[in-house]
Amino acid sequence: MEKQAAADPATRVTILMGVHNGAAHLAAQLDSFAAQSHAGWRLVASDDGSTDGSGEILDAFARGQPSGRVELIAGPGRGHAANYLHLLRRLPAGDGDWLAFSDQDDVWLPERLATGIAALRDTAGPALHCSRTLICSERLEGQRLSPPRPRPPGFRNALVQNIAAGNTILLNPTGARLLATAARRIEATVVHDWLAYQVISGAGGRVVHDDRPGLLYRQHGRNAIGANDGLRSRLRRMRMLMDGTMRGWTDVNLAALHAIRDLLGEEERALAEAFAALRREPGSLRRLRLFRRLGLYRQSRSSTLALWWGVLTGRV
C-alpha cells in the first residue's frame, strides 16, 4: 500500500473490536494496531464471554500501552452482531473521535488508518471509508485480493447488498456520531457493517470504497462471516436466498431503517418505504415492475440476476 501523508496526530481513532474466543490470532491483530503509521488511536474491546484466554491477552496488551489507551468491557453474551451494537451504544454522543471496526483475527496493514483518514479528511458530513482485503489462509498464506466493487456505492446498493467489510471500515466523526445514535434506537441488526453502510448512505453521506487492500483477512473455520468470494460462497448465498435467510435479513434491516427514518434523507427514506411496500405485494409480476422503478442493484451481474429472481419469488 502506498505511503500516505501523515494525519494530524490530534486525529484520534476509536477502534471497536468484538472478541469471543479469539486467542489463537488475537495477539497478531493487536500488534498490527501498535504498528499503525497513524499512532492516534485507542481501543475499546468487548469480550463476549471468552473461555480461551482472550481476556488475558487483552489485559497483557493493555498493560503495555499508555494509560487509558485500551478499554476492556464485558459483552452482552448474545453473539457477534449484538456485541458490536453494544460497543456502538456506549460511544459518547459528543465524542469527536473517528471510528474504526476491527475483527479479532486479521492483521492490519500499517497504512490502514492513515489511508482512510486521508480519503475522508475534507468531508464535513457523514462519511465512511472501506476497502478490499487480502484474503489469506489461517497462516496468512495464499493471499488474493477480495472481489472488486465496480458499481458505485450508495443507498440503492446498500438496501440489497453490503459492500462495506466491517474489518475495513473507518468513519469520520460526523458519521461515527450518526451511527452511534442509530445503534441506540434500533433493536437488532444483521451485522454492524451492513448497518453502517445503510445508515451513512441512507443519510446522504459519502461512501468511499478503496480498491487498495487495507488488511490481511484471515480465513479459518471460526470466521463469523468469512470471505465473500469463490464458488462456495456463491452457492452459500444462493442457499440463503432459497431458504428464506435473505428475506429475514431484509426484514431486520428495514425494521432498523424504519426506527431511524428521521435520520435518513428524504429520497432515501422514500426509497426504503417503497422497497418495504413492494415486498408486501402479492403479485410477482407487479413486484418486478415496482422493483424496476426503484433502481436497486448489486455489484455483479450474477448477483443482480439472483436479486431479481428473489423479488419474483418473494424471497428477498
Side-chain angles (χ1 to χ4, degrees), residues 79-272:
H80 181 82
N83 200 15
Y84 279 95
L85 275 182
H86 175 63
L87 281 160
L88 281 167
R89 288 165 177 163
R90 294 183 74 262
L91 287 178
D95 199 326
D97 282 12
W98 293 61
L99 179 65
F101 293 117
S102 173
D103 290 349
Q104 65 184 7
D105 47 10
D106 301 322
V107 174
W108 286 7
L109 299 179
E111 302 296 321
R112 150 79 156 96
L113 294 180
T115 298
I117 293 169
L120 305 182
R121 182 182 288 122
D122 298 325
T123 306
L128 180 154
H129 177 271
C130 56
S131 75
R132 296 172 78 176
T133 64
L134 288 172
I135 302 168
C136 56
S137 72
E138 188 165 4
R139 295 184 177 183
L140 306 182
E141 298 168 342
Q143 297 173 16
R144 65 187 189 278
L145 265 174
S146 61
R149 303 303 187 184
R151 306 190 69 179
F155 194 59
R156 281 180 166 80
N157 179 222
L159 275 175
V160 292
Q161 183 183 29
N162 179 33
I163 66 167
N167 52 2
T168 74
I169 285 177
L170 180 76
L171 296 162
N172 70 352
T174 309
R177 289 191 293 270
L178 176 64
L179 184 58
T181 298
R184 285 189 282 270
R185 289 169 51 176
I186 66 173
E187 292 185 5
T189 186
V190 176
V191 282
H192 63 286
D193 45 9
W194 201 353
L195 176 68
Y197 184 28
Q198 291 190 337
V199 168
I200 301 302
S201 63
R206 183 182 177 210
V207 177
V208 176
H209 187 278
D210 201 321
D211 204 45
R212 297 166 296 179
L215 54 88
L216 304 180
Y217 187 10
R218 197 192 304 260
Q219 299 298 292
H220 51 78
R222 300 174 300 282
N223 288 106
I225 301 294
N228 194 18
D229 74 332
L231 177 60
R232 182 177 298 179
S233 176
R234 288 194 292 272
L235 291 174
R236 183 177 69 248
R237 292 197 302 274
M238 183 57 68
R239 184 172 64 249
M240 290 190 296
L241 185 63
M242 293 289 292
D243 67 14
T245 299
M246 290 290 188
R247 184 170 181 86
W249 285 359
T250 304
D251 289 340
V252 173
N253 286 340
L254 287 174
L257 290 171
H258 183 73
I260 60 165
R261 57 194 178 277
D262 58 304
L263 302 179
L264 305 179
E266 183 177 348
E267 179 182 348
E268 291 82 4
R269 181 168 59 248
L271 191 64

Side-chain angles (χ1 to χ4, degrees), residues 96 117 272 308 311:
I117 293 169
W308 278 82
V311 172

Side-chain angles (χ1 to χ4, degrees), residues 278 281-293 311-312:
L278 81 81
E281 284 287 338
S284 57
L285 293 180
R286 177 167 170 77
R287 281 199 304 274
L288 284 180
R289 287 195 295 269
L290 292 171
F291 185 74
R292 182 180 181 183
R293 296 175 192 169
V311 172
L312 177 68

Side-chain angles (χ1 to χ4, degrees), residues 28-96:
Q29 176 68 289
L30 296 172
D31 288 344
S32 72
F33 298 161
Q36 288 296 293
S37 64
H38 178 70
W41 56 266
R42 72 179 183 111
L43 171 66
V44 183
S46 178
D47 188 357
D48 210 30
S50 295
T51 57
D52 67 343
S54 293
E56 289 79 0
I57 294 171
L58 289 166
D59 284 335
F61 180 73
R63 288 193 299 271
Q65 297 297 316
S67 177
R69 194 176 207 189
V70 178
E71 181 182 358
L72 309 178
I73 64 174
R78 298 195 304 274
H80 181 82
N83 200 15
Y84 279 95
L85 275 182
H86 175 63
L87 281 160
L88 281 167
R89 288 165 177 163
R90 294 183 74 262
L91 287 178
D95 199 326

